[in-house]
Amino acid sequence: MSDGSVGPKDTAHPPLRGTGDGAPTRLETSDAGTAGLPADAAPDKVAIASQWQLTWWAFKRHRLAMLGLWVIGLLYLIAIFSEFIAPDDPFKQNRRAVFHPPQMIHFIDRTEDGIQLRPYVWEMDRQRDPETLAITYTKSGEKIYLRMFGPGPEYKFWGIWTTNIHLFATVDPREKYFLFGADRLGRDMFSRIAYGTRISMSIGLVGVAISLVLGIVLGGLSGYYGGRIDMAIQRLIEFTLSLPTIPIWLALAAALPPSWPIYQQYFVITLIVSLVGWTELGRVVRGRFLAMKNDDFVIAARLDGASEPRIIFRHMLPSLTSHIIASLTLAVPLMILAETGLSFLGLGLQPPAISWGVLLKEAQNILSISQAPWLFIPGGFVVIAVLAFNFLGDGMRDAADPYGH
Amino acid sequence: MIWRFILKRLLYMIPFLFAVSIVSFLLIQAPPGDYLTTYIAKLGESNEVLDQASINNLRARFGLDQPLYVQYFKWVGNLLQGDFGMSFEWRQPVSDLVWERMGLTVCLSFATLLFTWALAMPIGIYSAVRKYTLGDYIITTIGFIGLATPNFLLALILMYIGVVHFGADVGGLFSPEYKNAPWSWAKVVNLIEHLWLPVIVLGTGATASLIRIMRANLLDELNRPYVDTARAKGLSEWALIMKYPVRVALNPFVSTIGWVLPNLVSGAVVTAIVLSLPTAGPLMLQALLSQDMYLAGAFVLLLSSLTVVGMLISDILLVLLDPRVRYE
């Protein structure tokens, strides 16, 4: 088999080295993976594979990136079905559950009747120390049984239909359980985190969408036209990059009236956060446009009389889709961190809204976290989400780059 | 030659600083109402009334009855004479409030930068030379987690550990007895004793990304033919790596100062608020929350200028270190 048999797609991966006629193709397996083709891929399968298939094969070999993909998928499932997954109303205050510690779910139930597979948690009793008035919780020895798809507090699913079925509910509706504990007002942390996931994870997406538009338009103009426009946009990018973002965000966020409704706050915060994300994307798009604008296929399109928007959107942009997707994935965690930081400082979303940053604001007070370390759990979610996005983005960048070393 | 380059870069900074001042001015103007209405309202809260003469006086000083661009030039003109306006919350000129805090911010940022370099360089070299060993994997994992952890979360966790396991409050930059003391040698020592925690908190993210950059750069260089040649000639491995590939790999490393510094200054704001450090961050947040815009604007301006200066330093260092970079 010769290199030529790879076919017209040979830009998508380095030439394969055959070991002889009919023998399976031996692939270069250098450290980062070359094109990352599965070892069992028959040569003809490789030859006819589309660019997306090749990218997907390369991506699948990146184990951390696959893990990232699963984690992100799970987080978005929580975000989409947060009302259903949350066992309780996230705003419901409960004076008898202030700083209730987390309860582990046990699955194997040992009773006199033998061993059963039945999820339960240990009930906690609340005591108040007569002298210090400190509240402590101890196991009462009673079990609270849980069931899947059980009835709980009523809610409106996606604001459309009313139901009371939750993923996990207590068998006795009067009982409560706190998987991640409760906060200083006795609100269930797990439910609050589930609702916060929706806002935090979606802010990243909406912010990235805005950055995408800014980055493609400005980066595209800069790279395609060059000259003075390029100069001006490059200076703008340099300037934006040299600004310390947090002081600027803080100042912008402080100018928002706090009386605005949540969705309006949400939109403006997203806008503020996305003001920084576009620069990186703008640079990528500009660099690729500069390199591409004198390529044969672009010149051919131009000679053919294609209009400029058609050349840009139909011919040039598709060839860098994979790069754009990778850059976008790497931009999402920046936005999540930005929103978390702003809300944590009290200048982002305001309390009736729930996001991971708003939840972490509760952990600002050193006294309350030394009493209730489970207030850190939203921070864990932030770290996991950011890590997962970084792994996914790295994997996509490697997979999208046919010449990766 | 180098002086001409520095002069050129200094001139190049002027439009940048101009843009920074416009952004800061717009931020001052952003909240509804102007400085005086807020000031009068603030005074009214404590049952004080400003007489008409002083209102007119202040109005003329800040040019509040004039169009926006006149106000801007007035503000910049005052700035150039060292007058940053008045803080109505503190009833003091802004310039009295900002300098000591800015000084501590600069001190903290540069201490963190040094810490970051001192840590990232050897670890990055180790990680590249011993690629795919256990040590490399551990470093990479810690680096990823360091990148993903927001500064303030790290600060909170360290404070939590400090309070719960050591029973000590680790916030602040000075012990109580030095807090308001005039500057002395003992106070400097005290500052250094307190500086390590914010430096670690701030430096982790930047260190993690610099390690990755150093590792990637060095890996690119290690496969070059000149490395094989030097090895074939019998150069010891240590001298070989330090003398050639590391020097080449250092180049992008130095240029990172340009983007690390804005990140550090940003991070320092949040970290300082969590650890209650007497740097620019907490005062700026307070000023923003109470819409004390002249004070907040001064901080935005000074912090942004700091990062512009950082870029200048990185450009100059780059020229000094790498003969391949031309002065033009």
Side-chain angles (χ1 to χ4, degrees):
Chain A
M1 177 193 137
S2 73
D3 290 343
S5 72
V6 171
K9 289 279 184 201
D10 62 357
T11 47
H13 49 80
L16 306 172
R17 273 191 223 139
T19 45
D21 275 338
T25 312
R26 192 168 57 86
L27 296 165
E28 270 198 350
T29 44
S30 68
D31 33 63
T34 50
L37 306 173
D40 58 341
D44 50 334
K45 202 175 158 196
V46 173
I48 57 164
S50 72
Q51 167 109 35
W52 287 111
Q53 256 167 323
L54 290 168
T55 311
W56 172 240
W57 287 338
F59 179 78
K60 268 207 301 199
R61 293 203 354 181
H62 209 298
R63 276 201 214 111
L64 276 178
M66 284 303 281
L67 180 71
L69 189 65
W70 280 104
V71 170
I72 289 166
L74 196 69
L75 284 174
Y76 275 112
L77 275 182
I78 296 179
I80 294 169
F81 300 106
S82 48
E83 295 104 332
F84 170 66
I85 288 168
D88 201 359
D89 178 355
F91 303 105
K92 178 91 184 303
Q93 302 184 2
N94 188 341
R95 264 192 300 151
R96 273 176 304 175
V98 171
F99 289 138
H100 192 292
Q103 290 161 302
M104 269 279 286
I105 298 185
H106 303 264
F107 288 96
I108 295 162
D109 184 20
R110 288 170 213 274
T111 52
E112 299 91 72
D113 315 336
I115 294 170
Q116 266 184 309
L117 196 66
R118 199 175 173 201
Y120 68 93
V121 296
W122 292 105
E123 191 188 48
M124 304 289 248
D125 267 345
R126 178 169 174 267
Q127 289 98 27
R128 192 184 277 274
D129 189 303
E131 277 172 42
T132 60
L133 298 179
I135 294 168
T136 49
Y137 287 88
T138 45
K139 268 186 199 175
S140 72
E142 297 287 313
K143 290 171 183 170
I144 300 174
Y145 287 101
L146 307 176
R147 55 178 286 202
M148 283 183 93
F149 307 113
E154 251 186 24
Y155 61 92
K156 258 196 152 173
F157 193 59
W158 291 342
I160 304 172
W161 66 84
T162 313
T163 170
N164 63 357
I165 302 298
H166 294 261
L167 182 63
F168 267 95
T170 45
V171 172
D172 179 356
R174 282 168 303 173
E175 305 270 22
K176 283 200 159 208
Y177 78 98
F178 298 93
L179 185 59
F180 287 168
D183 68 2
R184 74 191 152 83
L185 296 172
R187 294 174 293 196
D188 176 31
M189 279 300 280
F190 181 68
S191 304
R192 290 177 69 74
I193 290 173
Y195 277 76
T197 305
R198 172 174 286 177
I199 289 197
S200 290
M201 292 296 278
S202 68
I203 270 197
L205 281 194
V206 178
V208 152
I210 300 173
S211 303
L212 174 71
V213 174
L214 276 174
I216 286 185
V217 170
L218 291 177
L221 281 178
S222 184
Y224 189 78
Y225 292 107
R228 283 201 182 166
I229 300 179
D230 184 32
M231 258 299 277
I233 293 175
Q234 282 313 298
R235 292 293 88 77
L236 182 67
I237 289 182
E238 270 173 34
F239 178 65
T240 318
L241 281 178
S242 77
L243 290 179
T245 43
I246 288 180
I248 306 274
W249 282 336
L250 288 180
L252 280 173
L256 304 182
S259 55
W260 276 7
I262 291 175
Y263 65 88
Q264 210 169 346
Q265 279 178 26
Y266 172 88
F267 186 72
V268 177
I269 295 290
T270 319
L271 206 67
I272 292 175
V273 164
S274 64
L275 280 181
V276 75
W278 68 273
T279 48
E280 195 50 48
L281 195 65
R283 282 185 154 187
V284 172
V285 173
R286 170 181 177 268
R288 302 288 301 173
F289 264 46
L290 267 181
M292 229 191 302
K293 98 180 149 180
N294 290 323
D295 272 1
D296 290 348
F297 72 100
V298 178
I299 295 176
R302 199 173 292 141
L303 290 178
D304 227 16
S307 67
E308 268 181 1
R310 191 178 160 83
I311 294 176
I312 291 176
F313 290 106
R314 194 76 195 91
H315 295 274
M316 292 172 83
L317 267 185
S319 62
L320 48 117
T321 323
S322 48
H323 290 265
I324 291 177
I325 295 175
S327 312
L328 286 183
T329 317
L330 290 171
V332 175
L334 294 182
M335 316 246 161
I336 293 178
L337 284 178
E339 184 276 329
T340 310
L342 276 181
S343 302
F344 174 76
L345 293 178
L347 283 166
L349 294 166
Q350 299 299 324
I354 304 173
S355 75
W356 291 338
V358 173
L359 292 176
L360 277 175
K361 203 175 169 224
E362 296 276 321
Q364 222 174 41
N365 184 341
I366 195 76
L367 276 178
S368 58
I369 47 173
S370 60
Q371 207 180 1
W374 50 90
L375 293 178
F376 277 138
I377 292 175
F381 273 76
V382 174
V383 174
I384 289 171
V386 171
L387 269 179
F389 270 112
N390 277 330
F391 287 149
L392 179 69
D394 272 352
M396 289 200 335
R397 199 172 46 192
D398 289 350
D401 181 5
Y403 306 113
H405 24 251
Chain B
M1 201 59 187
I2 180 76
W3 292 111
R4 252 185 78 190
F5 170 78
I6 292 176
L7 189 73
K8 217 164 153 185
R9 282 297 279 105
L10 278 174
L11 288 177
Y12 185 66
M13 264 174 72
I14 292 173
F16 259 71
L17 288 175
F18 180 65
V20 164
S21 73
I22 290 182
V23 169
S24 313
F25 180 72
L26 290 178
L27 289 175
I28 292 177
Q29 294 290 325
D34 66 20
Y35 167 70
L36 263 190
T37 49
T38 330
Y39 187 51
I40 293 165
K42 259 273 153 65
L43 283 182
E45 277 171 21
S46 50
N47 289 326
E48 279 179 64
V49 184
L50 211 56
D51 59 278
Q52 197 59 41
S54 30
I55 290 182
N56 290 340
N57 194 354
L58 282 171
R59 212 168 267 282
R61 181 167 165 209
F62 297 114
L64 292 176
D65 39 6
Q66 283 159 321
L68 211 57
Y69 66 93
V70 179
Q71 286 187 41
Y72 168 73
F73 284 112
K74 215 155 197 153
W75 182 67
V76 170
N78 285 339
L79 276 185
L80 292 177
Q81 293 162 27
D83 178 6
F84 283 75
M86 287 288 287
S87 157
F88 65 76
E89 221 200 348
W90 293 74
R91 311 258 177 94
Q92 274 179 36
V94 167
S95 47
D96 290 359
L97 291 167
V98 291
W99 289 117
E100 183 168 347
R101 282 172 178 265
M102 277 309 293
L104 285 173
T105 301
V106 171
C107 173
L108 178 61
S109 302
F110 278 93
T112 311
L113 202 60
L114 289 181
F115 166 82
T116 305
W117 278 356
L119 213 61
M121 205 152 67
I123 296 179
I125 294 173
Y126 174 85
S127 193
V129 174
R130 301 259 184 277
K131 187 174 65 158
Y132 302 133
T133 58
L134 185 67
D136 179 32
Y137 282 124
I138 292 173
I139 290 166
T140 310
T141 314
I142 293 176
F144 261 120
I145 295 173
L147 270 181
T149 314
N151 278 332
F152 64 85
L153 192 66
L154 194 61
L156 277 176
I157 292 170
L158 288 181
M159 266 172 79
Y160 172 75
I161 294 172
V163 168
V164 172
H165 293 282
F166 300 105
D169 188 6
V170 288
L173 275 184
F174 300 104
S175 307
E177 65 267 29
Y178 289 107
K179 211 163 249 171
N180 292 316
W183 280 98
S184 64
W185 187 238
K187 189 170 176 176
V188 173
V189 172
N190 189 257
L191 172 67
I192 293 169
E193 280 167 5
H194 281 80
L195 209 54
W196 63 272
L197 181 77
V199 162
I200 292 177
V201 169
L202 265 176
T204 310
T207 309
S209 51
L210 277 183
I211 289 175
R212 287 183 72 194
I213 291 172
M214 186 72 203
R215 179 176 183 273
N217 287 338
L218 199 55
L219 280 180
D220 280 350
E221 290 301 322
L222 284 178
N223 292 327
R224 295 284 165 90
Y226 72 83
V227 178
D228 290 338
T229 312
R231 195 171 286 137
K233 287 194 167 188
L235 211 57
S236 79
E237 196 67 11
W238 168 261
L240 160 73
I241 288 172
M242 295 314 276
K243 198 156 181 195
Y244 304 109
V246 166
R247 265 178 72 196
V248 181
L250 218 53
N251 186 2
F253 202 73
V254 171
S255 63
T256 49
I257 187 180
W259 60 261
V260 166
L261 205 62
N263 286 355
L264 283 185
V265 171
S266 273
V269 171
V270 185
T271 310
I273 291 165
V274 176
L275 293 175
S276 56
L277 308 179
T279 55
L283 191 59
M284 189 180 99
L285 181 72
Q286 200 188 336
L288 285 169
L289 287 173
S290 62
Q291 306 248 310
D292 189 354
M293 292 320 283
Y294 276 100
L295 186 54
F299 275 126
V300 172
L301 181 75
L302 289 173
L303 291 176
S304 308
S305 310
L306 184 61
T307 64
V308 175
V309 172
M311 281 193 152
L312 175 75
I313 296 175
S314 101
D315 281 359
I316 293 173
L317 276 181
L318 207 58
V319 169
L320 288 179
L321 277 180
D322 191 342
R324 288 172 307 174
V325 176
R326 298 270 166 261
Y327 292 132
E328 276 71 48

